[in-house]
Amino acid sequence: MDEDHMLDIYDYFKESTTDDIEEALEELGEDFTEEEVRLVRIKFISDMAN
């Protein structure tokens, strides 16, 4: 996965008030796949839990 894409998704979840995948895909645009968003969301949740 492109590191810039990963950082963009991660930043989105840091600023977002929801963790809804569909909403994230709409906000991020067509450059991001659902799989990328789901994987980074898991990493984000894991990082925030620690």
Side-chain angles (χ1 to χ4, degrees):
M1 179 183 313
D2 184 331
E3 188 172 338
D4 289 335
H5 271 197
M6 189 173 85
L7 291 174
D8 289 343
I9 299 167
Y10 199 92
D11 288 342
Y12 167 79
F13 283 115
K14 281 173 58 175
E15 297 174 7
S16 177
T17 59
T18 181
D19 65 350
D20 182 55
I21 297 295
E22 295 300 320
E23 190 173 316
L25 287 169
E26 287 178 23
E27 183 71 28
L28 292 166
E30 296 178 5
D31 292 338
F32 300 90
T33 66
E34 183 175 344
E35 290 81 15
E36 288 176 323
V37 174
R38 288 184 182 278
L39 287 171
V40 175
R41 179 176 168 262
I42 292 168
K43 179 178 176 15
F44 174 79
I45 291 170
S46 176
D47 288 348
M48 292 298 118
N50 288 325

